Amino acid sequence: MKQSGEPEREQQKSMERKGYVYIAGAGPGDPGLITVRAERALREADVILYDDLVSLELVDQFNALKIYTGKRKASHHFEQEEINREIVRHAVDGKTVVRLKGGDPFIFGRGGEEIEALRNYGIDYEIIPGITAAHGAGSYSEIPLTMRRISSSVAFCTGHPVSSIQVPDTDTIVYYMVASSVHDVLDAVAAKGRPGMTRVAVVQNATRYNQKVLTGTLDEFRQREKAVYSPALLIIGDSIGQFIRHNWHTRKKKVLMTGGESSRYSGRDCIMVHFPCRRISGSDLDAVHKSLEALDSYSVLLLPNKFSVKYFFRFLYDSGRDVRSLAHMKICTGGQAAAEELKENGLVADHDLEPDPASGYAKHLRELSISGERILLPGSNHVDDSLVGELRELQNEVTPVGVYAHEVRHDDLVDLDFIDEIYFATPVCVRNFRTLFESIPERIVVSTADRRTEQEYRRLFRA
Ligand code: SAH
């Protein structure tokens, strides 16, 4: 018999917002290889729990609370049990959760275990497939996994643990998790009677800017003592052609963008690598909050680049405010990308001060007679001294506030060995870069957005 009070509780419960979980594949590394459906889920998410192999460039685009559940960070190592508990905790709390996994959730992804936990708690979920590493590696290193007359079957196997290594009778075999067991796998393949001339490839960092492909025959690989770096796949089969070492992905120019806009380098001829920018945190937050408290006292909001817009508005919204609290200010942007990002927030800039390559902002500021104003200048944690100088010269009172940082996490540092060209968008980008890299190899072509940036580059790297 139902106890009194229970229907009421039931009703109350059904009125509460129900949590929902997407178990989604992020693809193998290139942030462009996510599905439209997964991207939509990420946009909707309150919480994103992401793994090691998920691209940070991808995760950074979304506003949700992000929880790293990988194993590389020194500070904390999440066990599967703990991950399951985290997913359940947020979902029970009524949140929309995306559990984002490298590749496809159902290919060596432990997606099955997570679902079991959700079922136990009666939490609604769905699964969004992803491009698995084998498919990414196949396409990005020009290895057809099947090919008429050469390969009519393919198997995905694991190289770890060594006791689980299987050698199925397919024409092509792709081994996952081989970083520490390449030789065990090759021995097992040879023991199964595959000829020594069978073609073999190792694809490291498939689909990323630093993808590396090693090729040879089964015999050659067994004799070689080559270290294999994770993440890597071992592919075995004669559909591996002769030319993959110089495949389409290798041939493309790799351009490292520091703070710039991707639109500058669109097209088919290069791959863009983005230098990370992050929303600031920790003690720097005080300054941001103070500036938001004091919004009424400013007459101009100057947003010099896309990131300043993106992160300033996130702080504004997080503080419970919206664009109406900016109504009294003139809003200026520092170029088209910033102006476009501003539009995303429902605002059109009063003036767009695209900096002049030779004279910076000075010309615009004079023409528009921006003088005697109280200017709030959100930007990077490293203040752009020359811009502040130009503004102060015209008797403006300027308050720079850091809303984002060029900060590099753990093993997220760009490997310059793979980079052909570096683009510096601002002098601040050059300075940030200098804190991480002592020098830039001669081989790399450097370009800068304007004269001030060029000067800073010469001063710090070519003096
Ligand atoms: N669910 C993932 C696989 C997770 S298991 C998927 O569908 O791809 C982890 C293994 O995947 C790694 O040890 C490596 O073998 C492989 N892997 C994942 N991303 C890779 C990449 N970008 N390049 C090469 N191998 C990758």
Side-chain angles (χ1 to χ4, degrees):
M1 215 178 100
K2 277 197 174 179
Q3 291 185 347
S4 63
E6 194 166 71
E8 224 171 275
R9 210 164 52 231
E10 282 301 324
Q11 198 183 356
Q12 197 183 345
K13 240 169 122 187
S14 68
M15 278 163 64
E16 284 168 14
R17 198 178 144 213
K18 268 182 92 186
Y20 196 81
V21 178
Y22 295 97
I23 298 185
D30 178 344
L33 291 182
I34 190 156
T35 62
V36 174
R37 193 170 178 83
E39 197 176 6
R40 211 173 282 162
L42 286 165
R43 218 170 284 136
E44 186 194 327
D46 301 306
V47 183
I48 300 171
L49 293 114
Y50 66 100
D51 272 350
D52 271 335
L53 293 169
V54 171
S55 143
L56 289 178
E57 198 182 324
L58 174 73
V59 174
D60 276 349
Q61 295 170 23
F62 304 96
N63 291 332
L65 168 70
K66 290 153 204 157
I67 304 173
Y68 171 78
T69 60
K71 303 184 181 88
R72 290 189 193 188
K73 219 189 218 168
S75 58
H76 188 66
H77 175 149
F78 272 78
E79 296 296 342
Q80 187 63 47
E81 279 275 301
E82 213 177 337
I83 297 173
N84 297 352
R85 270 204 303 277
E86 271 298 287
I87 302 174
V88 168
R89 186 169 74 85
H90 291 288
V92 167
D93 201 27
K95 300 287 195 304
T96 300
V97 180
V98 176
R99 169 68 179 130
L100 191 62
K101 303 165 86 67
D104 179 85
F106 278 1
I107 300 283
F108 305 122
R110 307 189 72 166
E113 292 163 55
E114 288 167 10
I115 289 164
E116 215 175 286
L118 296 173
R119 281 178 168 261
N120 288 342
Y121 282 86
I123 294 164
D124 280 344
Y125 63 85
E126 68 186 76
I127 301 148
I128 306 176
I131 293 180
T132 190
H135 289 146
S139 299
Y140 279 51
S141 55
E142 282 190 47
I143 301 173
L145 298 182
T146 67
M147 200 168 166
R148 215 155 70 91
R149 296 201 194 93
I150 297 175
S151 167
S152 61
S153 55
V154 56
F156 296 166
C157 298
T158 175
H160 178 86
V162 172
S163 58
S164 312
I165 296 172
Q166 293 186 16
V167 186
D169 246 345
T170 50
D171 294 321
T172 306
I173 313 177
V174 184
Y175 286 96
Y176 286 67
M177 293 178 271
V178 285
S180 59
S181 61
V182 170
H183 282 91
D184 298 297
V185 173
L186 294 170
D187 289 348
V189 170
K192 196 77 192 275
R194 292 260 174 150
M197 290 306 287
T198 305
R199 298 196 60 79
V200 171
V202 167
V203 185
Q204 286 167 199
N205 286 308
T207 78
R208 302 185 181 152
Y209 77 97
N210 55 347
Q211 170 176 295
K212 195 165 178 177
V213 188
L214 310 166
T215 53
T217 63
L218 182 56
D219 277 347
E220 281 166 6
F221 259 89
R222 290 182 73 202
Q223 282 152 22
R224 241 188 250 171
E225 268 310 318
K226 268 240 154 106
V228 168
Y229 299 102
S230 188
L233 292 175
L234 174 68
I235 307 180
I236 293 173
D238 289 326
S239 63
I240 298 170
Q242 310 283 343
F243 308 110
I244 60 168
R245 249 192 258 229
H246 199 56
N247 67 63
W248 68 265
H249 186 269
T250 318
R251 286 202 309 271
K252 282 199 185 191
K253 189 165 70 176
K254 315 288 185 311
V255 183
L256 177 65
M257 307 289 292
T258 71
E261 304 311 328
S262 41
S263 52
R264 187 175 181 277
Y265 278 93
S266 53
R268 298 176 181 179
D269 57 339
C270 73
I271 289 168
M272 310 261 282
V273 183
H274 288 271
F275 203 66
C277 281
R278 320 228 175 278
R279 184 161 119 134
I280 62 133
S281 54
S283 56
D284 295 340
L285 281 178
D286 280 351
V288 178
H289 290 137
K290 270 197 198 120
S291 70
L292 291 174
E293 294 297 321
L295 277 178
D296 283 344
S297 66
Y298 298 102
S299 55
V300 172
L301 175 65
L302 173 52
L303 298 155
N305 60 43
K306 185 172 100 174
F307 301 107
S308 62
V309 181
K310 177 169 149 186
Y311 293 109
F312 175 77
F313 278 91
R314 280 203 206 163
F315 281 119
L316 184 79
Y317 301 142
D318 286 354
S319 75
R321 296 175 174 84
D322 63 32
V323 293
R324 289 170 297 183
S325 48
L326 310 175
H328 63 286
M329 285 194 259
K330 223 182 272 169
I331 304 183
C332 302
T333 47
Q336 200 192 337
E340 256 149 42
E341 187 78 26
L342 186 67
K343 266 192 203 148
E344 297 278 309
N345 290 283
L347 289 169
V348 177
D350 293 282
H351 305 291
D352 183 28
L353 317 175
E354 178 99 46
D356 183 79
S359 60
Y361 290 93
K363 200 171 128 233
H364 285 300
L365 296 173
R366 289 224 167 74
E367 274 173 16
L368 293 166
S369 42
I370 295 185
S371 169
E373 303 279 3
R374 296 202 52 174
I375 302 180
L376 180 61
L377 177 64
S380 150
N381 57 337
H382 295 284
V383 175
D384 183 347
D385 297 326
S386 55
L387 172 56
V388 172
E390 285 173 26
L391 292 166
R392 290 201 174 131
E393 222 168 84
L394 294 168
Q395 273 71 53
N396 294 295
E397 205 178 297
V398 190
T399 309
V401 56
V403 289
Y404 70 90
H406 295 273
E407 155 206 319
V408 172
R409 278 183 232 162
H410 197 55
D411 50 3
D412 184 31
L413 204 61
V414 175
D415 186 346
L416 293 187
D417 282 352
F418 290 87
I419 298 296
D420 302 302
E421 197 175 321
I422 300 178
Y423 170 77
F424 290 113
T426 67
V428 172
C429 294
V430 183
R431 260 174 273 153
N432 284 321
F433 196 80
R434 183 64 177 72
T435 62
L436 299 163
F437 296 95
E438 292 257 301
S439 62
I440 297 173
E442 287 288 338
R443 167 187 73 70
I444 295 180
V445 176
V446 173
S447 59
T448 53
D450 53 31
R451 195 174 51 92
R452 296 178 312 139
T453 312
E454 183 70 24
Q455 279 167 352
E456 194 68 346
Y457 163 65
R458 298 213 164 276
R459 188 174 75 81
L460 292 177
F461 286 103
R462 293 286 176 250

